[in-house]
């Protein structure tokens, strides 16, 4: 269970070593779909223990979505479980994808036991994503959608009790003192690559950055829209993420 009492369902995949990676999947997803299983296999093949779980409100877990901010408690619960199993602080890495990448950054800012973070396609500010979705789904112009921004903040406050200034990956990354690897597709239309630039500018720690040429949202391993076709960057992607954690955990 999480600190706020939500029951999560997770899976521990053991390996020989003393390092472990926590995988945080994206929104409208679960631990075993999309590219997450491929990433899990790559880490395990590289000698890492792996812990996957369904985030709150998704898959088999309880609770409701919390704009990535509330989900940081899910990561806290996963790390606490691993520490209880004997893993040491600094030997735990977190790899998040999309919404899960934002969660990973928000969580790592508050969990000193996390030794390093991979954030694949994170948003810098959830308001940008919400306004972008509003534009796509309603056909409103970006300018008109921007006028509705105060209402977006009000909805977050009323429904989730969130201050969106506080629940900001851009703010969180400035508080992370461990290595971070930021990855983003050059042609991402869901979370534009400008988010990566904002996160990199805000970071105050060792930050590795990789913009995937010609790629859309989270296309490092598999290609949109069905995410079944292997990405031409697949081998390089999996090598880079495993090498990053080998170096920093």
């Amino acid at each position: 269970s999480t600190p706020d009492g939500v029951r999560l369902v997770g899976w521990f995949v053991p390996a020989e070593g003393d390092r472990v990676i926590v995988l945080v999947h994206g929104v409208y997803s679960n631990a075993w779909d999309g590219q997450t299983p491929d990433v899990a296999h790559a880490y395990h093949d590289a000698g890492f223990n792996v812990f996957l779980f369904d985030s709150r409100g998704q898959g088999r877990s309880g609770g409701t979505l919390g704009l990535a901010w509330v989900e940081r408690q899910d990561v806290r619960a996963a790390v606490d479980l691993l520490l209880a199993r004997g893993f040491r602080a600094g030997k735990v890495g977190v790899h998040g994808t999309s919404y899960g990448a934002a969660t990973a950054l928000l969580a790592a800012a508050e969990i000193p036991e996390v030794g390093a973070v991979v954030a694949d396609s994170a948003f810098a500010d959830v308001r940008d994503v919400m306004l972008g979705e509003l534009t796509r789904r309603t056909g409103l112009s970006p300018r008109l959608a921007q006028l509705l921004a105060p209402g977006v903040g009000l909805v977050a406050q009323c429904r989730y009790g969130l201050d969106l200034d506080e629940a900001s990956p851009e703010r969180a990354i400035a508080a992370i003192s461990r290595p971070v690897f930021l990855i983003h597709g050059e042609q991402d239309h869901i979370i534009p690559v400008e988010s990566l630039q904002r996160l990199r500018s805000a970071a105050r720690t060792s930050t590795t950055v990789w913009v995937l040429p010609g790629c859309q949202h989270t296309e490092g391993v598999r290609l949109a829209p069905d995410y079944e076709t292997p990405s031409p960057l697949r081998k390089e992607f999996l090598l880079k993420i495993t090498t990053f954690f080998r170096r920093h955990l």
Side-chain angles (χ1 to χ4, degrees):
S1 294
T2 65
D4 61 342
V6 175
R7 180 179 178 273
L8 305 179
V9 175
W11 297 264
F12 178 70
V13 185
E16 293 288 331
D18 64 347
R19 297 177 292 187
V20 59
I21 309 300
V22 176
L23 297 184
V24 190
H25 62 78
V27 72
Y28 306 129
S29 184
N30 63 64
W32 293 108
D33 71 358
Q35 68 178 13
T36 310
D38 302 350
V39 172
H41 281 297
Y43 283 131
H44 189 259
D45 290 346
F48 295 96
N49 298 271
V50 179
F51 186 73
L52 308 87
F53 65 95
D54 290 346
S55 295
R56 67 180 61 209
Q58 303 184 84
R60 300 181 183 180
S61 291
T64 58
L65 296 176
L67 301 181
W69 172 248
V70 180
E71 283 85 349
R72 76 197 194 286
Q73 297 188 62
D74 302 353
V75 180
R76 176 75 266 182
V79 172
D80 285 346
L81 179 65
L82 294 168
L83 295 172
R85 293 181 70 111
F87 289 98
R88 292 183 289 117
K91 294 292 185 179
V92 181
V94 178
H95 176 125
T97 303
S98 189
Y99 186 94
T103 297
L105 294 172
L106 292 165
E110 298 183 355
I111 307 175
E113 295 91 347
V114 171
V117 180
V118 169
D120 177 8
S121 308
F123 54 78
D125 190 315
V126 71
R127 282 170 290 207
D128 296 336
V129 180
M130 295 169 77
L131 291 173
E133 283 297 300
L134 185 64
T135 300
R136 280 188 290 274
R137 291 173 184 267
T138 65
L140 292 175
S141 69
R143 185 174 182 179
L144 182 57
Q146 190 64 44
L147 293 175
L148 300 176
V152 169
L154 182 61
V155 169
Q157 179 66 45
C158 294
R159 181 170 181 181
Y160 299 104
L162 297 183
D163 176 349
L164 294 186
D165 288 325
E166 183 181 33
S168 163
E170 187 173 15
R171 178 175 173 175
I173 198 171
I176 299 174
S177 59
R178 287 82 69 204
V180 176
F181 187 7
L182 298 174
I183 303 171
H184 217 105
E186 181 184 39
Q187 303 297 326
D188 192 333
H189 299 298
I190 296 175
I191 301 174
V193 71
E194 286 77 18
S195 283
L196 178 144
Q197 309 301 347
R198 289 171 59 182
L199 291 168
R200 177 169 62 178
S201 296
R204 298 180 182 176
T205 187
S206 172
T207 307
T208 304
V209 172
W210 185 24
V211 176
L212 308 183
C215 287
Q216 298 183 50
H217 190 59
T218 65
E219 287 196 320
V221 178
R222 301 187 187 190
L223 299 179
D226 56 12
Y227 291 97
E228 293 181 1
T229 304
S231 167
L233 295 175
R234 177 189 178 91
K235 184 175 180 180
E236 183 179 6
F237 183 96
L238 297 176
L239 177 61
K240 280 182 180 288
I241 61 173
T242 52
T243 299
F244 173 80
F245 280 126
R246 277 199 183 111
R247 181 177 300 128
H248 294 296
L249 291 186

